[in-house]
Amino acid sequence: MFPNLKTQEVKTTTTESNYLGAGAHTVTVKNFKTSDEVPGYKGTPYFEFLVEANSADNPGVAFLKFMGVDNFTSEAAARVRTDIFKSFLISAGASTFDNPNQAASSIVGKQLEVCLANREYWTTDKDTNKPVIKTRVEYKFSNMYGKKITFKDSFNKPLSAEDRAAYENAVGLSNNNNTVETPF
């Protein structure tokens, strides 16, 4: 059932993450995928780029997700999403924008500077059904390769006072064995 089990070498796992954290990073675009490639996906369309840090001192990867536009997206949100996506493509060296897939394909292998920031949110833990605060690293903006970015802590987005109050309320409800509804 398991050939050569005795002689099989295994990789040791570590607790260190190979994902880039908040900060300014010089990266190379390794590849991308679109929501069209996900069988059965029916949500908002997106492009997701895998980028890899160029620094041996700070190795790691990040997945940069750019949400597209669907029938439920407001005109204002559509403009913002399109601007953010095109700015990223320009920073990575794209010059033709007739087709989003072609523009994305043209930047694979290209280098650029990216700013990633932490965003706090709260949700319900799937195992305990208790409210928890989590942090995710998100794309903030980018520059062309060589135009370094100075990271500022103000780029990070902690929970707003309103969200913190909702979280505290949910904690109180969960302590009383009530059902907790997440904000999303």
Side-chain angles (χ1 to χ4, degrees), residues 80-155:
V80 169
R81 289 178 186 179
T82 302
D83 182 60
I84 291 168
F85 185 57
K86 187 170 183 179
S87 294
F88 171 77
L89 292 170
I90 290 170
S91 293
S95 57
T96 305
F97 306 99
D98 295 329
N99 178 304
N101 282 328
Q102 288 175 346
S105 291
S106 75
I107 67 169
V108 173
K110 302 284 181 81
Q111 296 179 331
L112 72 154
E113 311 292 334
V114 297
C115 180
L116 305 178
N118 288 326
R119 182 179 68 81
E120 278 188 333
Y121 64 99
W122 74 272
T123 188
T124 304
D125 183 274
K126 66 181 179 181
D127 296 325
T128 65
N129 203 32
K130 298 284 184 185
V132 292
I133 295 175
K134 294 188 175 189
T135 302
R136 67 180 296 147
V137 177
E138 296 180 329
Y139 170 84
K140 197 79 171 153
F141 63 91
S142 59
N143 283 340
M144 295 176 85
Y145 175 68
K147 188 176 178 189
K148 295 292 184 187
I149 295 170
T150 302
F151 182 79
K152 300 175 188 170
D153 281 334
S154 61
F155 294 154

Side-chain angles (χ1 to χ4, degrees), residues 23-95:
H25 306 280
T26 302
V27 298
T28 301
V29 178
K30 300 309 270 182
N31 61 46
F32 75 96
K33 73 175 186 178
T34 70
S35 54
D36 293 339
E37 298 172 46
V38 179
Y41 181 79
K42 297 195 185 326
T44 304
Y46 65 84
F47 273 75
E48 184 176 68
F49 293 84
L50 171 63
V51 298
E52 183 176 52
N54 295 358
S55 169
D57 297 336
N58 186 20
V61 299
F63 293 91
L64 310 181
K65 194 171 201 175
F66 297 88
M67 299 308 290
V69 176
D70 62 12
N71 294 334
F72 304 104
T73 308
S74 70
E75 285 184 39
R79 278 191 305 275
V80 169
R81 289 178 186 179
T82 302
D83 182 60
I84 291 168
F85 185 57
K86 187 170 183 179
S87 294
F88 171 77
L89 292 170
I90 290 170
S91 293
S95 57

